[in-house]
């Protein structure tokens, strides 16, 4: 049985590494293990002594929101030698370390693999020199689990690596800022992003930030590639586009294999177009700062899973990396991760770009194709006037709706299909308020908050159906794309149910999930929820900063309607002590337990305790009620404060995740719409991000997957994380009931 583990961070640091270490340490302690932290990566492992220390519960408190890694990281030349690794093995044996968790890039994972492979050999040799050591009779191999830590997102075996989402958000925010100044001064910006061998950051930023041109390492450029770029920027200027930005991944290459620098691009544009070109090299800014909610949650999930796998599958050999693939924790052998990750570099070096792209995978290739459409100056085809597609946004607005409209509409226009934006959702559909959407205008919508075409809440009156049918006929609408929440789904279903009476409704209709509540069926995430989650996390971090001399309990009330996603995920991402969820309800006995937990927490020296409460977690035990209850019970020992975050949660520019999700769903909706139009289908579908990727599901199925009474899906994947959140937030002494059960209301 496993008793002692060690954890380290290695190679380039990335935001979220702290969250991974916190999760490993607390999960290990929660499961009765001794856990050592190795400082400064393999260098510390070789050095031993003070570089390897036992970590306690409180040692990893308050680090979730910090960038970098508190364990430090270093490159180690000594570990690259056999002698160095022998010393590292001795240091680990002396502390009885039986399993190691390494967070790092492919170099660090390779190091872990080499260490595990050589372990027995070093053990045999060391035994000869230390025959009396307490480990001398040991034969146990070292188990190693790697976690992907890299801002470049260049690792095989995971869809995202820890730090990539934070880096991408930094880039996207920089593009948002640059585009406003570029627009005011008619300037052209060349922006250099990280990614020596991997174009992920540059490509995703182009989709999410609306750049005019992008250069990535995996793409083969023509000999005169710059002609096309110059022509594109020149045209953009001629038609009065407010800004022009070229994104260069630092590893992009000329056809001869030499690196294209951002200064090369500047020189070309300045010489050919006599433009005022400014270069912005984002550099280490991309690596820094507080990690996003996504990075914190992913790192937390992977860290806990690593400890669980080591303990639960103790009889098996472990030389794996854990990654997130399609939102599931997946183990891939370290050798495969390292070989496949490095193979892309070799293919790029050798000029085998098609092979490099193939190794990156289908999603990378599809993004590259999408970028080709989105960076066009004008649609590829002239519009054909034999019917249009209408796009509307319904219900409450959600950040990212504009991105979805912009991408879906441009993908349709690119194929010659005219697109109308329906003003103010179903109200505009009834009243016939349609605007023909224009390519140039759409380009500027990708990063705008809210909904440019407008949303409104409305209930259909009986007479409305005839009005809508007339509008559809008048504008020759052949298909409808509706972006919104459950109200929007229901309205589309209502239209479809009246097809017998109104022929006009026999057109293909596609629904795209967009709501900050993440309460829709057939999708793991809705457009808008990541922005809301990050808004909550930022606000809660700020509340944490207020911790001072007085003891304080904070109840933060968050949105979500009757879905606990935002409450649970923000608790996981901020280290809040508790989340009140509508799925679980609130009971008096539980509140009683919370009173005891608060008392014990403050007695043990805590200054601030945060409870996150979903707005509908209980009808009677409201935020105010809980505040007053806790206040009464505190007997003056601590203060209680509330923070009701309200509409701040749905505001602001959409995050990179929301923009990317919106772009993928928008492009998919356009693709399915074109297919239905070509084949004369009148299917009604819901799109969503599912286990296998983006899928379309018939609307009847979507209704079956919905718990209509409670306004949330019947199956909610994130509830599996309830136990993790609880285990990591409360030290073992507070765990009277370690595995909370979900009970129906
Ligand atoms: P990253 O993990 O970010 O890719 P590096 O490539 O610099 O960063 O690797 C981090 C450390 O991992 C190196 O300094 C070295 O100590 C160790 N390492 C990398 N490759 C190997 C290898 N092939 N054998 C042993 N150790 C290695």
């Amino acid at each position: 049985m496993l008793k002692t583990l060690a954890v380290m961070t290695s190679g380039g640091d990335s935001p979220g590494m702290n969250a991974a270490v916190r999760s490993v340490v607390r999960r290990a302690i929660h499961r009765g293990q001794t856990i050592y932290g190795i400082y400064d990566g393999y260098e510390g492992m070789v050095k031993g002594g003070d570089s390897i220390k036992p970590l306690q519960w409180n040692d990893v408190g308050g680090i979730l929101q910090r960038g970098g890694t508190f364990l430090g990281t270093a490159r180690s030349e000594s570990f690259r030698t056999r002698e160095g690794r022998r010393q590292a093995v001795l240091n680990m044996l002396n502390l009885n370390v039986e399993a190691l968790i390494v967070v790092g890039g492919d170099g660090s994972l390779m190091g872990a693999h080499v260490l595990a492979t050589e372990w027995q050999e070093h053990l045999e040799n060391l035994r000869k020199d230390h025959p009396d050591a307490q480990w001398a009779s040991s034969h146990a191999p070292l188990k190693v689990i790697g976690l992907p830590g890299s801002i470049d997102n260049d690792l095989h075996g995971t869809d995202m690596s820890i730090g990539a989402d934070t880096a991408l958000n930094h880039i996207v925010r920089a593009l948002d800022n640059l585009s406003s100044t570029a627009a005011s001064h008619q300037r052209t910006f060349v922006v250099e992003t990280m990614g020596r061998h991997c174009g992920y950051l540059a490509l995703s930023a182009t989709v999410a930030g609306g750049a005019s041109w992008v250069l990535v390492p995996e793409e083969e450029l023509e000999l005169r590639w710059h002609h096309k770029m110059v022509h594109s920027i020149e045209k953009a200027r001629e038609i009065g586009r407010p800004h022009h930005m070229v994104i260069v991944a630092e590893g992009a290459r000329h056809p001869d294999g030499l690196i294209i620098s951002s200064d090369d691009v500047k020189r070309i544009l300045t010489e050919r177009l006599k433009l005022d070109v400014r270069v912005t090299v984002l550099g280490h800014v991309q690596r820094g700062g507080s990690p996003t909610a996504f990075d914190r949650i992913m790192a937390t999930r992977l860290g806990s899973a690593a400890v669980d796998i080591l303990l639960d599958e103790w009889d098996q050999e472990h030389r794996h990396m854990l990654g997130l693939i399609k939102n599931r924790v997946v183990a891939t052998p370290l050798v495969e991760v390292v070989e496949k990750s490095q193979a892309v570099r070799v293919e790029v070096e050798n000029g085998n770009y098609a092979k490099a792209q193939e190794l990156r995978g289908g999603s990378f290739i599809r993004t590259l194709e999408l970028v080709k459409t989105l960076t066009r100056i004008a649609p590829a085809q002239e519009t054909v006037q034999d019917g249009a597609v209408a796009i509307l946004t319904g219900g409450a607005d959600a950040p990212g709706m504009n991105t979805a409209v912009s991408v879906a509409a441009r993908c349709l226009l690119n194929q010659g299909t005219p697109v109308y934006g329906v003003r103010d959702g179903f109200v505009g559909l009834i009243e016939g308020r349609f605007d023909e959407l224009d390519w140039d205008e759409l380009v500027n919508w990708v990063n705008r908050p809210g909904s440019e075409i407008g949303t409104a809440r409305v209930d259909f009156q009986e007479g409305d159906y005839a009005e809508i049918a007339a509008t559809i006929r008048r504008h020759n609408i052949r298909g409808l794309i509706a972006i919104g929440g459950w109200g929007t789904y229901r309205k589309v279903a209502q239209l479809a149910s009246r097809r017998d009476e109104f022929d006009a409704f026999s057109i293909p209709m596609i629904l795209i999930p967009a709501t900050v509540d993440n309460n829709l069926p057939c999708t793991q995430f809705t457009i808008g929820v990541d922005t809301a989650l990050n808004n909550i996390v930022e606000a809660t971090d700020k509340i944490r900063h207020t911790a001072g001399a007085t003891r304080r309990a904070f109840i933060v009330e968050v949105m979500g309607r009757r879905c606990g996603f935002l409450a649970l995920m923000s608790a996981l991402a901020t280290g809040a002590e508790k989340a009140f969820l509508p799925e679980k309800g609130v009971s008096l006995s539980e509140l009683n337990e919370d009173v005891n937990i608060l008392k014990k927490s403050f007695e043990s020296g805590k200054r601030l305790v945060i409870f996150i409460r979903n707005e509908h977690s209980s009808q009677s035990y409201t935020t105010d009620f809980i505040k007053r209850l806790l206040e009464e019970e505190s007997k003056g020992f601590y203060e209680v404060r509330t923070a009701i975050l309200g509409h701040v949660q749905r505001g602001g520019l959409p995050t990179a995740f929301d923009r990317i999700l919106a772009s993928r769903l928008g492009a998919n909706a356009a693709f399915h719409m074109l297919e239905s139009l070509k084949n004369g289908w009148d299917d009604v579908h819901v799109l969503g991000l599912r286990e296998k990727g983006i899928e379309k599901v018939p609307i009847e199925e979507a209704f079956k997957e919905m718990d209509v009474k409670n306004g949330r899906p019947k199956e909610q994947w994130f509830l599996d994380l309830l136990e993790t959140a609880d285990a990591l937030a409360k030290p073992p002494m507070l765990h009277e009931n370690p595995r909370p059960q979900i009970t129906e209301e």
Side-chain angles (χ1 to χ4, degrees):
M1 190 50 195
L2 182 64
K3 286 198 205 70
T4 312
L5 294 97
V7 60
M8 63 185 254
T9 51
S10 168
D13 65 314
S14 63
M17 279 183 162
N18 277 330
V21 174
R22 171 185 178 270
S23 178
V24 167
V25 169
R26 292 201 167 173
R27 190 65 172 176
I29 295 173
H30 180 74
R31 297 199 60 176
Q33 302 292 303
T34 299
I35 173 105
Y36 284 95
I38 303 174
Y39 288 77
D40 303 325
Y42 292 115
E43 196 61 17
M45 193 189 277
V46 176
K47 247 169 119 192
D50 267 1
S51 297
I52 311 179
K53 288 190 215 152
L55 292 174
Q56 309 303 335
W57 188 271
N58 288 338
D59 293 333
V60 291
I63 62 168
L64 252 181
Q65 55 271 48
R66 281 202 240 139
T69 156
F70 87 104
L71 282 178
T73 162
R75 316 256 179 211
S76 171
E77 283 316 308
S78 54
F79 189 81
R80 287 185 185 273
T81 65
R82 280 188 87 81
E83 198 39 51
R85 291 195 290 273
R86 193 177 121 107
Q87 183 59 40
V89 171
L90 179 61
N91 291 336
M92 304 272 280
L93 283 170
N94 280 334
L95 296 170
N96 295 320
V97 173
E98 303 155 277
L100 172 71
I101 296 171
V102 180
V103 194
D106 61 347
S108 305
L109 301 182
M110 184 63 196
H113 175 73
V114 172
L115 184 70
T117 312
E118 291 179 0
W119 183 266
Q120 298 287 11
E121 198 185 317
H122 288 306
L123 179 60
E124 293 303 322
N125 290 330
L126 287 164
R127 213 195 307 272
K128 288 179 206 145
D129 299 343
H130 305 266
D132 301 326
Q134 35 85 15
W135 44 261
S137 58
S138 162
H139 293 281
L142 178 77
K143 317 218 166 196
V144 288
I145 295 220
L147 302 182
S150 153
I151 63 162
D152 291 347
N153 206 24
D154 55 353
L155 288 167
H156 173 81
T158 190
D159 290 341
M160 289 291 274
S161 52
I162 298 168
D165 184 64
T166 307
L168 183 58
N169 274 288
H170 281 309
I171 301 171
V172 165
R173 230 170 289 141
L175 295 182
D176 290 345
N177 294 342
L178 288 174
S179 60
S180 53
T181 152
S184 322
H185 294 278
Q186 275 285 313
R187 261 182 204 139
T188 303
F189 275 97
V190 178
V191 181
E192 186 179 302
T193 67
M194 283 195 168
R196 246 175 310 152
H197 310 278
C198 180
Y200 169 83
L201 288 176
L203 265 192
S204 307
T206 306
V207 173
S212 324
W213 203 258
V214 62
L215 299 160
V216 292
E218 296 90 342
E219 194 185 15
E220 175 160 28
L221 298 179
E222 297 165 15
L223 197 58
R224 295 179 182 280
W225 62 271
H226 44 279
H227 281 210
K228 276 195 176 160
M229 176 183 74
V230 167
H231 177 72
S232 168
I233 304 285
E234 193 174 24
K235 276 268 171 257
R237 280 176 61 79
E238 273 171 27
I239 57 177
R241 286 255 175 100
H243 61 78
H244 331 100
M245 276 187 290
V246 177
I247 301 189
V248 194
E250 58 184 349
R253 283 151 195 272
H254 288 284
D256 61 7
L258 292 175
I259 296 285
I260 304 174
S261 72
S262 39
D263 282 331
D264 290 343
V265 179
K266 173 181 172 166
R267 190 173 35 77
I268 294 166
L269 293 174
T270 314
E271 280 174 12
R272 301 285 171 101
L273 295 171
K274 309 278 176 276
L275 290 179
D276 180 11
V277 182
R278 302 289 162 105
V279 171
T280 300
V281 179
L282 294 175
H284 276 67
V285 165
Q286 296 160 86
R287 224 182 245 299
S290 182
T292 55
F294 183 93
D295 275 331
R296 296 184 201 188
I297 292 166
M298 179 173 66
T300 302
R301 289 176 70 181
L302 295 180
S304 279
V307 174
D308 284 345
I309 286 175
L310 284 169
L311 278 154
D312 298 340
E313 299 172 15
W314 178 239
D315 50 337
Q316 289 174 36
E317 187 187 65
H318 287 288
R319 281 185 212 174
H320 288 98
M321 184 195 81
L322 295 188
L324 263 197
I325 299 181
K326 308 262 185 277
N327 202 26
R328 277 181 197 281
V329 178
V330 176
T332 310
L334 284 170
V335 205
E336 186 185 328
V337 172
V338 174
E339 277 178 7
K340 293 227 168 116
S341 306
Q342 292 182 347
V344 185
R345 280 179 213 173
V346 175
E347 300 300 352
V348 170
E349 289 282 345
N350 294 337
N352 300 326
Y353 297 98
K355 185 76 192 148
Q357 286 180 23
E358 191 189 314
L359 285 167
R360 284 268 180 256
S363 149
F364 187 90
I365 295 172
R366 281 191 296 278
T367 311
L368 200 56
E369 278 166 15
L370 181 60
V371 161
K372 297 268 174 264
T373 303
L374 300 183
T375 52
R376 292 188 67 86
I377 288 298
Q381 292 183 32
E382 293 276 312
T383 40
V384 187
Q385 297 297 344
D386 65 350
V389 170
I391 301 186
L392 66 78
T393 52
D397 57 320
M401 274 183 164
N402 282 323
T403 322
V405 174
S406 170
V407 173
R410 278 188 283 163
C411 289
L412 289 165
L413 287 171
N414 201 41
Q415 302 293 323
T417 305
V419 188
Y420 287 114
V422 184
R423 283 271 149 215
D424 302 328
F426 291 97
V427 177
L429 198 61
I430 298 166
E431 295 174 0
R433 287 192 282 126
F434 285 42
D435 293 332
E436 195 156 351
L437 296 180
D438 167 69
W439 187 272
D440 281 329
E441 195 182 1
L442 289 165
V443 171
N444 298 320
W445 284 10
V446 279
N447 62 359
R448 298 224 181 129
S451 169
E452 289 289 316
I453 52 178
T455 59
R457 283 182 210 275
V458 64
D459 283 323
F460 288 152
Q461 307 300 318
E462 191 44 44
D464 292 340
Y465 294 99
E467 294 288 342
I468 295 174
T471 323
I472 288 178
R473 248 179 274 113
R474 198 162 57 244
H475 287 88
N476 198 10
I477 302 297
R478 294 180 56 214
L480 174 70
I481 296 177
I483 304 165
W486 186 239
T488 304
Y489 282 32
R490 284 196 11 218
K491 279 186 197 66
V492 166
Q494 282 168 12
L495 293 182
S497 72
R498 307 290 291 262
R499 282 177 165 180
D500 287 350
E501 294 151 79
F502 303 100
D503 263 2
F505 300 159
S506 294
I507 55 173
M509 302 187 201
I510 299 179
L511 282 154
I512 297 182
T515 157
V516 294
D517 302 318
N518 206 27
N519 59 354
L520 294 177
C522 309
T523 193
Q524 293 167 337
F525 298 94
T526 54
I527 296 169
V529 73
D530 186 67
T531 308
L533 184 57
N534 277 288
N535 285 338
I536 297 170
V537 167
E538 276 170 34
T540 311
D541 282 353
K542 284 182 188 144
I543 290 172
R544 267 207 196 285
H545 295 157
T546 67
T550 37
R551 294 177 207 95
R552 236 176 234 163
F554 254 99
I555 308 165
V556 180
E557 186 184 293
V558 302
M559 286 180 164
R561 297 195 187 205
R562 292 167 71 80
C563 168
F565 181 89
L566 285 175
L568 179 58
M569 293 310 230
S570 56
L572 205 57
T574 58
E577 275 68 10
K578 166 149 192 153
F580 292 103
L581 311 181
E583 289 85 352
K584 234 179 110 217
V586 184
S587 71
L588 199 55
S589 61
E590 198 187 334
L591 288 174
N592 201 16
E593 197 184 310
D594 293 336
V595 168
N596 290 330
I597 287 176
L598 270 186
K599 188 161 174 276
K600 283 194 205 163
S601 300
F602 289 125
E603 277 170 358
S604 72
K606 266 200 171 230
R607 293 275 147 200
L608 189 77
V609 171
I610 294 183
F611 288 176
I612 296 189
R613 182 183 175 278
N614 160 289
E615 57 187 356
H616 294 303
S617 45
S618 161
Q619 259 189 347
S620 315
Y621 301 137
T622 59
T623 301
D624 188 51
F625 175 92
I626 298 175
K627 174 181 186 260
R628 283 187 284 123
L629 176 88
L630 298 180
E631 237 161 19
E632 184 71 31
E633 295 297 322
S634 78
K635 316 267 186 265
F637 184 48
Y638 54 86
E639 292 176 354
V640 186
R641 295 273 186 277
T642 54
I644 298 175
L645 299 183
H647 271 67
V648 166
Q649 294 164 80
R650 60 163 83 253
L653 301 182
T655 56
F657 182 98
D658 274 333
R659 296 188 207 182
I660 301 284
L661 178 63
S663 304
R664 290 178 64 196
L665 290 169
N668 249 275
F671 169 81
H672 288 303
M673 182 55 74
L674 290 166
E675 193 183 38
S676 295
L677 293 178
K678 195 170 87 198
N679 293 302
W681 298 334
D682 60 0
D683 47 340
V684 182
H685 278 106
V686 166
L687 282 187
L689 192 58
R690 312 259 276 177
E691 289 77 21
K692 292 191 193 129
I694 291 181
E695 282 181 53
K696 63 170 191 168
V697 181
I699 194 155
E700 304 79 32
E701 284 297 313
F703 272 70
K704 277 189 209 147
E705 287 190 24
M706 188 74 174
D707 170 357
V708 177
K709 184 173 139 261
N710 280 312
R712 61 184 174 235
K714 287 180 183 159
E715 300 263 326
Q716 293 173 288
W717 65 271
F718 61 87
L719 291 177
D720 289 349
L721 300 176
L722 191 59
E723 197 269 331
T724 310
D726 196 55
L728 302 187
K730 281 195 228 134
M733 64 154 187
L734 297 179
H735 274 279
E736 282 158 29
N737 177 15
R739 293 191 186 243
Q741 300 292 318
I742 305 266
T743 46
E744 283 300 314
E745 277 169 88

